[in-house]
Amino acid sequence: MDHKSLPALRDTIMTALERYHAGPRNIIVQLCLSLAGIALQMPSWPDAVQTMIDSFGRNPATVPLLLQFLTLLPEELNSNTKIPVTTQVFNCLRSWIIAGEVSSASLAETPLFAFSFEALASEELFDAAVDVICEVIHETQEIDDNMAVIELIVPRVIALKPQLLKQHEDPEKIKGYARIFAEAGETYRLLLLQHTETFFPIVEAIGECSAYPDLDIVPITFPFWMRLAQNIGKKSSVSPLFLDAYRNLMRVIIRHLHFPPDSDALTGQEADAFRSFRHVMGDTLKDCCFVLRTDTCLLATYELITTALSRGPEALSWQEIEAPLFAMRSMGAEVDPNDHNAVPKIMDLIPSLPNHPRVRYAALLIISRYTEWINMHPDYIRFQLQYISTGFEDSDTEVSAAAGQALKYLCQDCKQHLVDFLPTLHTFLSTTGSKLVQDDRRQVYEAIAHVISAMPMERAAESLRTFSLDILGQVHAISTRQTVAAQDEIVNINGIDGLENLEIMLHVIRSFGEELPAACQNTCQQAWLVFDAFLSKYGSNYDVAERTTRVLRHGISFFGNVALPVASAVVERMSLAFEATGYASYLWIAGKVIDAFGDEEEQTLRGSFRTLYERSTAKVVSLLQVKSPSDLPDVLEDYVQMLLRLTDKGPDIFFQSSAFPLAFRAAMAALTVVHSDIIFAALDLFRVILTHDCLSSNSHPPPKFPLYAAAIVAIFEKEGYELVGYLLAGLMSDFPEDSTSTVVSIFRAISFAWGVQLISCLPAVLEQLPPASATNEAKSRFFAIGGREYDKVKYAILELNRASRKTRERRRAALVGS
């Protein structure tokens, strides 16, 4: 039939099918068969199934027609040999195999099985045929149940092996064959191990695909090698064929690791993609180690380097050395720290490597990866330090960065052996530190901190004091200058960068315990004088605020109670700095001080808390007058967190201050910020306030409880209506789902203490909520909240929350549909 007539015939049959939707059944079957045949022969109707779903799947009366068509379509595909096989036919067949409507066994009984393999010779059908063959193989994973089909598939797959040579110049064809071989290898890997000689040509074919120069094709084979290695690892003996396969694979991967001869020609994106892919290939080298043993792989890689070096520098390219070094680095995760065979040869080889930046970079990263081994062989440490030190002098920034990483891991894993080298490291910083970029300098300080952490406490304290005073002395010099330093001077090693180095040291060392060694006893006051002067002069610089407060945070943890004498001064400085700048970090550190020392009764300290509370509240209120809450997320989060600490450590300050009503309103503003951490903190604050013990019936309350209660009652009577509005609006819009339980607790407290007021204000509050947030019916049900019936409050809120969520979901679905 002329293809031009098919659309009209299709439309006529679909009309007839709709007319006879009630039967008779034999007419429905014949019409569906006709439509199935047209669908398989009509390339211009690629979405036949979707068309049938749209036409007959929406009306319950016609759904049986759709089901009949879907049932007959795969049968027609399998049985009608007159239908010309097109890409559409293969695509349809694949979809039915995936859906389970066509099994591999039933397909094998039809001409389509053989034709799927024959279609690989067709340019037009190749990709679709590959898809079908891969699905057929995949569906035979249950080996015992599908052995008859597997016996048909495997010879046909093996027969494709010569095509790898024949089609070598066509990457798209090789990619398709690689998919077939890899799928067969993964699916039949247990058969590979049981009947190695019969199935081994599949392994050889996958090896050829792994060796193909197109790096888009190579990774198709990696899952096979990984899973086969896992299976081999469970066997007591391994066929030499598999050992040879993994030896060849290792050599192939190392060859792929080579940078191109003109690596500078790679674009930035190409270079990044290649570097990323090298790490993927490194994982496959670990599979080789799993099968061949790590020392065997390392020695083979070592021999590649020594063979290349033996040819002399004139005939040597840096790529020939760098690629095996990268392979050694990848295998490093599998190295036995007690190895005495391969790793010593590698370590002895490093000094003789060419002085090329890429080679030096790779060698330094080998040291980084092998530090656990070096820890077991400390005789190598002196040499490693010399090699690393030379790396810092390299003009290539990546080499210098690799040296920093190597030093960090060497000091981290070998710290016990490096204690005697600390003076050398201090000298290195004094002479070379200023020449390093900050990232490298920070890694050196981190490395030194690891060594200090391994020292006896008194020596560790002396060493930390030495390095810390070096840094603080530089900061002090900036603070006491007659002129104001420029931004770059503030940032460099003498300022912010120096504080970053101090921060990383304190982060690693953390603490010397509750009793500080004598060397640290007076350093807290000395350090604070430096920080105070620095903040007084440069505290309006945002970077200074951020870095200084981060160091102070570690200082609070490190010094513990020794910092108590300066705590009030710290709070006072944070209060003034926040008032002047509005930087959230000052509130953050003030909250940490309250948390650490809030239980102390020292009057000066508690006075500083009160001053901080009142000044910071006034500042937040002034900021909210010129900015929306959404523009102040950091400030509001740290402010509310500070208030939470104050309710716990200083309720007398929190409730009895004139700042309390302002703080209450500021916390309500925080409820409008679409940020989970801020909302949770603000809700916690209102829960703490409205469930405070001072509001419960107690015949003998603590003396200040009536004062607290009076403050809470007064503020709720003034602001309660607005708070209830914020809570319900947030519950039905932007509050996190996990916050519902806190909202329930707050409403229970409100209904207990202010039940009458709640009932009277709810109608107006619900009326003001957006109509789209929940249906009127849901709002009316919620109004059923009453007095002190706790469970009624809980279930009413949960029901309103669910109703609102469903309303929002329906609205989103409608928007997507439109």
Side-chain angles (χ1 to χ4, degrees):
M1 186 175 181
D2 185 0
H3 274 258
K4 294 180 180 178
S5 304
L6 288 177
L9 178 59
R10 174 199 61 192
D11 295 343
T12 300
I13 294 174
M14 289 183 69
T15 301
L17 193 57
E18 190 168 1
R19 181 184 305 157
Y20 289 100
H21 72 271
R25 186 176 182 280
N26 60 337
I27 292 179
I28 292 175
V29 170
Q30 292 303 316
L31 290 172
C32 286
L33 279 171
S34 300
L35 271 179
I38 291 173
L40 296 172
Q41 298 181 67
M42 189 175 166
S44 60
W45 192 21
D47 55 348
V49 172
Q50 188 59 50
T51 301
M52 294 297 290
I53 292 172
D54 292 340
S55 300
F56 301 111
R58 305 185 188 280
N59 182 354
T62 59
V63 167
L65 302 179
L66 173 63
L67 297 177
Q68 185 68 61
F69 171 80
L70 295 178
T71 302
L72 293 172
L73 184 61
E75 296 177 7
E76 183 73 0
L77 183 62
N78 275 341
S79 61
N80 194 337
T81 57
K82 296 179 181 179
I83 296 174
V85 180
T86 65
T87 298
Q88 183 186 359
V89 172
F90 273 132
N91 290 340
C92 189
L93 175 59
R94 177 173 176 261
S95 68
W96 286 103
I97 294 172
I98 293 172
E101 296 293 339
V102 175
S103 67
S104 297
S106 63
L107 180 66
E109 297 174 356
T110 73
L112 279 172
F113 176 79
F115 190 77
S116 298
F117 287 90
E118 295 165 8
L120 294 171
S122 165
E123 290 288 340
E124 179 186 353
L125 300 178
F126 181 82
D127 290 338
V130 168
D131 289 340
V132 168
I133 293 169
C134 288
E135 291 301 337
V136 170
I137 294 171
H138 186 75
E139 291 302 314
T140 59
Q141 291 180 82
E142 300 296 332
I143 301 296
D144 294 338
D145 297 338
N146 292 284
M147 187 56 71
V149 185
I150 293 171
E151 289 173 352
L152 296 174
I153 292 173
V154 170
R156 291 181 179 276
V157 170
I158 292 174
L160 298 175
K161 188 167 174 278
Q163 293 297 320
L164 295 175
L165 180 59
K166 184 178 179 180
Q167 304 290 346
H168 189 268
E169 300 303 319
D170 188 340
E172 290 304 313
K173 289 286 180 65
I174 299 299
K175 185 175 184 178
Y177 289 122
R179 288 180 55 205
I180 293 172
F181 287 122
E183 187 65 55
E186 286 187 61
T187 304
Y188 305 141
R189 60 186 183 278
L190 294 180
L191 294 173
L192 288 174
L193 295 171
Q194 295 166 6
H195 309 284
T196 301
E197 293 196 4
T198 301
F199 285 82
F200 198 72
I202 295 177
V203 179
E204 292 175 324
I206 296 172
E208 289 184 45
C209 296
S210 297
Y212 195 70
D214 189 328
L215 296 186
D216 287 333
I217 293 171
V218 174
I220 294 172
T221 67
F222 289 169
F224 163 75
W225 295 116
M226 178 192 69
R227 293 189 175 98
L228 181 63
Q230 291 170 345
N231 288 115
I232 288 175
K234 299 173 184 176
K235 296 182 70 66
S236 57
S237 61
V238 183
S239 166
L241 292 174
F242 289 117
L243 297 179
D244 288 340
Y246 276 93
R247 288 190 193 98
N248 290 332
L249 175 65
M250 181 181 65
R251 286 191 287 269
V252 161
I253 294 298
I254 294 175
R255 187 167 69 246
H256 286 319
L257 288 172
H258 282 64
F259 275 98
D262 184 13
S263 58
D264 293 336
L266 294 175
T267 66
Q269 187 174 355
E270 289 171 340
D272 290 343
F274 181 65
R275 289 191 180 98
S276 296
F277 184 55
R278 294 178 102 212
H279 290 286
V280 175
M281 291 191 284
D283 290 337
T284 301
L285 286 173
K286 295 173 189 175
D287 300 328
C288 296
C289 292
F290 194 63
V291 174
L292 301 173
R293 294 171 52 95
T294 303
D295 59 340
T296 302
C297 294
L298 287 174
L299 286 172
T301 310
Y302 167 84
E303 289 172 6
L304 290 175
I305 296 176
T306 55
T307 300
L309 290 173
S310 67
R311 297 202 305 271
E314 298 81 9
L316 185 66
S317 70
W318 66 265
Q319 289 91 340
E320 293 177 271
I321 306 300
E322 191 275 343
L325 289 176
F326 183 93
M328 289 176 174
R329 173 188 165 197
S330 297
M331 299 176 196
E334 311 300 319
V335 165
D336 180 358
N338 295 307
D339 175 81
H340 297 288
N341 187 23
V343 182
K345 293 182 178 181
I346 294 170
M347 292 298 159
D348 292 336
L349 175 68
I350 288 178
S352 63
L353 294 174
N355 189 24
H356 187 282
R358 294 297 89 205
V359 172
R360 184 173 288 277
Y361 174 83
L364 285 165
L365 292 182
I366 286 178
I367 294 174
S368 297
R369 184 59 66 90
Y370 285 60
T371 49
E372 290 185 14
W373 183 90
I374 296 170
N375 184 48
M376 303 295 291
H377 304 80
D379 292 345
Y380 284 90
I381 287 178
R382 185 174 297 278
F383 149 70
Q384 308 292 7
L385 281 175
Q386 292 172 351
Y387 194 83
I388 291 168
S389 177
T390 306
F392 282 117
E393 298 170 4
D394 200 291
S395 59
D396 189 297
T397 57
E398 289 190 350
V399 175
S400 181
Q405 183 173 326
L407 183 61
K408 179 177 73 173
Y409 286 115
L410 186 70
C411 292
Q412 182 175 313
D413 291 333
C414 310
K415 54 191 175 185
Q416 300 284 354
H417 305 299
L418 282 162
V419 169
D420 293 335
F421 288 92
L422 195 62
T424 304
L425 293 172
H426 186 257
T427 302
F428 169 78
L429 270 179
S430 302
T431 57
T432 308
S434 60
K435 302 174 185 176
L436 303 178
V437 298
Q438 172 56 16
D439 285 347
D440 299 340
R441 195 184 304 119
R442 184 186 64 252
Q443 292 203 88
V444 174
Y445 274 99
E446 184 177 356
I448 289 170
H450 284 296
V451 176
I452 292 175
S453 70
M455 291 178 160
M457 189 174 293
E458 290 294 338
R459 283 189 64 190
E462 288 286 353
S463 299
L464 178 60
R465 187 174 187 276
T466 298
F467 285 96
S468 299
L469 290 180
D470 284 349
I471 295 171
L472 292 174
Q474 295 163 349
V475 175
H476 179 67
I478 293 179
S479 303
T480 55
R481 281 173 46 175
Q482 294 294 323
T483 57
V484 176
Q487 174 68 15
D488 60 336
E489 294 179 284
I490 298 173
V491 170
N492 71 13
I493 186 174
N494 299 321
I496 294 173
D497 288 349
L499 292 178
E500 183 182 19
N501 300 329
L502 180 56
E503 178 193 353
I504 196 65
M505 293 188 75
L506 292 174
H507 173 74
V508 172
I509 296 170
R510 296 191 180 277
S511 173
F512 289 138
E514 293 185 7
E515 290 293 327
L516 284 179
C520 296
Q521 287 293 331
N522 297 320
T523 52
C524 182
Q525 284 96 330
Q526 295 170 350
W528 171 244
L529 289 174
V530 173
F531 282 115
D532 193 36
F534 191 50
L535 287 172
S536 176
K537 194 165 188 176
Y538 300 107
S540 59
N541 182 300
Y542 180 80
D543 295 326
V544 168
E546 287 292 305
R547 186 59 61 189
T548 305
T549 51
R550 287 166 69 100
V551 179
L552 289 174
R553 173 70 185 92
H554 287 292
I556 293 169
S557 300
F558 179 82
F559 286 110
N561 287 333
V562 173
L564 181 58
V566 302
S568 60
V570 173
V571 173
E572 180 69 19
R573 174 58 62 191
M574 297 304 109
S575 176
L576 291 171
F578 178 69
E579 188 176 50
T581 66
Y583 295 155
S585 53
Y586 292 128
L587 287 179
W588 174 66
I589 205 65
K592 298 296 183 184
V593 176
I594 294 172
D595 199 36
F597 304 110
D599 293 329
E600 301 293 334
E601 295 298 331
E602 203 272 321
Q603 290 304 306
T604 304
L605 179 60
R606 300 198 72 76
S608 70
F609 292 165
R610 180 180 296 276
T611 301
L612 167 71
Y613 176 35
E614 293 172 353
R615 282 181 170 170
S616 62
T617 299
K619 180 64 176 180
V620 169
V621 170
S622 69
L623 289 173
L624 287 171
Q625 289 172 349
V626 295
K627 292 184 178 181
S628 70
S630 60
D631 293 329
L632 299 167
D634 294 342
V635 170
L636 287 173
E637 180 176 6
D638 289 321
Y639 175 69
V640 173
Q641 290 288 359
M642 185 199 72
L643 296 182
L644 276 168
R645 290 181 171 89
L646 203 55
T647 60
D648 179 40
K649 302 291 186 177
D652 54 329
I653 297 171
F654 181 74
F655 290 116
Q656 293 183 259
S657 169
S658 60
F660 176 51
L662 297 174
F664 195 94
R665 289 197 60 82
M668 286 197 294
L671 291 174
T672 67
V673 181
V674 185
H675 189 293
S676 296
D677 291 342
I678 300 174
I679 292 172
F680 278 121
L683 288 174
D684 280 343
L685 179 64
F686 287 116
R687 179 184 52 79
V688 168
I689 294 171
L690 299 176
T691 62
H692 197 277
D693 288 345
C694 69
L695 296 172
S696 61
S697 301
N698 191 332
S699 56
H700 300 288
K704 293 185 178 181
F705 268 26
L707 299 175
Y708 301 169
I712 296 172
V713 169
I715 190 62
F716 188 83
E717 288 180 352
K718 183 179 179 182
E719 308 290 353
Y721 172 85
E722 195 167 347
L723 175 61
V724 170
Y726 278 124
L727 292 172
L728 290 180
L731 183 72
M732 294 190 287
S733 56
D734 298 319
F735 281 6
E737 194 167 331
D738 293 345
S739 68
T740 307
S741 60
T742 308
V743 176
V744 169
S745 297
I746 294 171
F747 265 97
R748 278 180 163 177
I750 293 172
S751 69
F752 179 83
W754 296 277
V756 176
Q757 295 95 316
L758 179 61
I759 290 296
S760 65
C761 78
L762 267 181
V765 171
L766 292 170
E767 183 67 27
Q768 290 180 2
L769 294 175
S773 62
T775 64
N776 289 331
E777 181 185 357
K779 294 176 183 177
S780 298
R781 285 198 301 269
F782 177 71
F783 186 62
I785 290 178
R788 304 181 183 185
E789 297 180 44
Y790 286 2
D791 288 337
K792 201 171 184 181
V793 172
K794 175 181 177 181
Y795 292 124
I797 289 175
L798 293 177
E799 184 178 351
L800 180 66
N801 186 37
R802 282 193 295 269
S804 174
R805 193 162 60 245
K806 288 179 181 178
T807 300
R808 295 198 303 272
E809 289 171 356
R810 283 196 295 269
R811 192 167 67 250
R812 279 196 294 266
L815 290 172
V816 171
S818 62

